[in-house]
Amino acid sequence: DTAVSQTPKYLVTQMGNDKSIKCEQNLGHDTMYWYKQDSKKFLKIMFSYNNKELIINETVPNRFSPKSPDKAHLNLHINSLELGDSAVYFCASSQVGANTEAFFGQGTRLTVV
Amino acid sequence: KNEVEQSPQNLTAQEGEFITINCSYSVGISALHWLQQHPGGGIVSLFMLSSGKKKHGRLIATINIQEKHSSLHITASHPRDSAVYICAALKNYQLIWGAGTKLIIKP
């Protein structure tokens, strides 16, 4: 069973469109994250949710809106896509405060054309 | 200056060599992760350390909390070890990432 699953794996879309990336974890973790990997392969945190509550919201355009319907899901919705949004987006989960690993989804390669 | 610094940025070695990748951090952390990113892009968690040393197969990770330093070692390196290795410090609810070390092992 996949621990953290993201869909879709690849997403190609036109500028101005609205799209969503879904993330689900079956590990029972209470914290989920969204990261953006830029062209230099550096991972930057975008959002962190703990038990469906937003904990971290880094400087991200408000076109990006995370939604956590329950603690097993953290979806990323992006409005009015721009060329600069093209990147690989990673979802991750962990159990903060316990001695556990962070687990990552396989990534979603978003290409805005 | 990043809160988590890795060195070297790039490392090329011959098969069989002993590999060391270093990570220094300047923040108070609850744990430090070592992760591997394959050429295909997927990220795999290798270790999570809060003290001492962990070993898994040919991989060894150590951490010195007082010196705020961690190392990842690979013994008897193999071309399939070629990947980007990333250390990330866990602080509160945030993973603070190093820039990664690109490792290439030549046959």
Side-chain angles (χ1 to χ4, degrees):
Chain A
D1 281 345
T2 303
V4 180
S5 60
Q6 281 180 243
T7 54
K9 191 172 181 181
Y10 299 98
L11 181 55
V12 181
T13 188
Q14 290 187 321
M15 280 175 55
N17 284 349
D18 302 338
K19 291 292 179 186
S20 292
I21 307 171
K22 295 185 177 181
C23 180
E24 176 181 4
Q25 54 98 1
N26 61 8
L27 299 164
H29 288 165
D30 58 11
T31 303
M32 296 184 72
Y33 312 80
W34 275 108
Y35 289 88
K36 180 181 179 180
Q37 187 171 42
D38 62 23
S39 57
K40 294 182 180 178
K41 302 294 185 184
F42 193 70
L43 278 151
K44 296 181 181 178
I45 192 165
M46 300 173 70
F47 303 103
S48 173
Y49 268 72
N50 177 262
N51 282 321
K52 300 185 350 178
E53 186 179 337
L54 181 64
I55 300 297
I56 292 171
N57 182 0
E58 291 295 307
T59 306
V60 174
N62 57 15
R63 297 180 295 104
F64 290 78
S65 54
K67 286 184 172 52
S68 182
D70 54 61
K71 75 174 195 177
H73 295 83
L74 182 61
N75 303 323
L76 184 65
H77 190 75
I78 315 170
N79 290 328
S80 303
L81 278 154
E82 300 178 357
L83 293 176
D85 298 332
S86 296
V88 181
Y89 293 84
F90 284 95
C91 174
S93 74
S94 69
Q95 187 75 10
V96 178
N99 207 19
T100 61
E101 309 281 342
F103 289 81
F104 287 81
Q106 79 274 31
T108 296
R109 183 175 293 277
L110 172 65
T111 304
V112 182
V113 297
Chain B
K1 188 175 167 25
N2 289 336
E3 292 175 291
V4 178
E5 296 277 353
Q6 273 186 251
S7 61
Q9 278 192 313
N10 295 283
L11 179 56
T12 301
Q14 290 296 129
E15 182 174 356
E17 285 188 40
F18 182 81
I19 302 299
T20 295
I21 300 170
N22 294 301
C23 178
S24 297
Y25 53 93
S26 58
V27 295
I29 66 169
S30 54
L32 187 123
H33 291 264
W34 281 101
L35 305 110
Q36 179 192 56
Q37 186 168 27
H38 299 293
I43 295 177
V44 174
S45 182
L46 299 175
F47 296 103
M48 198 281 294
L49 290 168
S50 50
S51 65
K53 175 181 173 179
K54 285 190 177 180
K55 185 176 189 291
H56 182 70
R58 295 180 294 106
L59 300 176
I60 303 166
T62 63
I63 189 168
N64 185 318
I65 298 294
Q66 285 75 29
E67 294 184 4
K68 291 191 165 76
H69 181 267
S70 177
S71 293
L72 177 69
H73 306 285
I74 306 174
T75 62
S77 58
H78 189 276
R80 65 174 175 266
D81 297 326
S82 298
V84 175
Y85 292 84
I86 308 167
C87 72
L90 182 63
K91 180 183 177 184
N92 299 324
Y93 295 95
Q94 185 172 2
L95 281 173
I96 305 169
W97 297 78
T101 295
K102 185 173 182 180
L103 174 65
I104 298 173
I105 304 295
K106 293 185 174 179

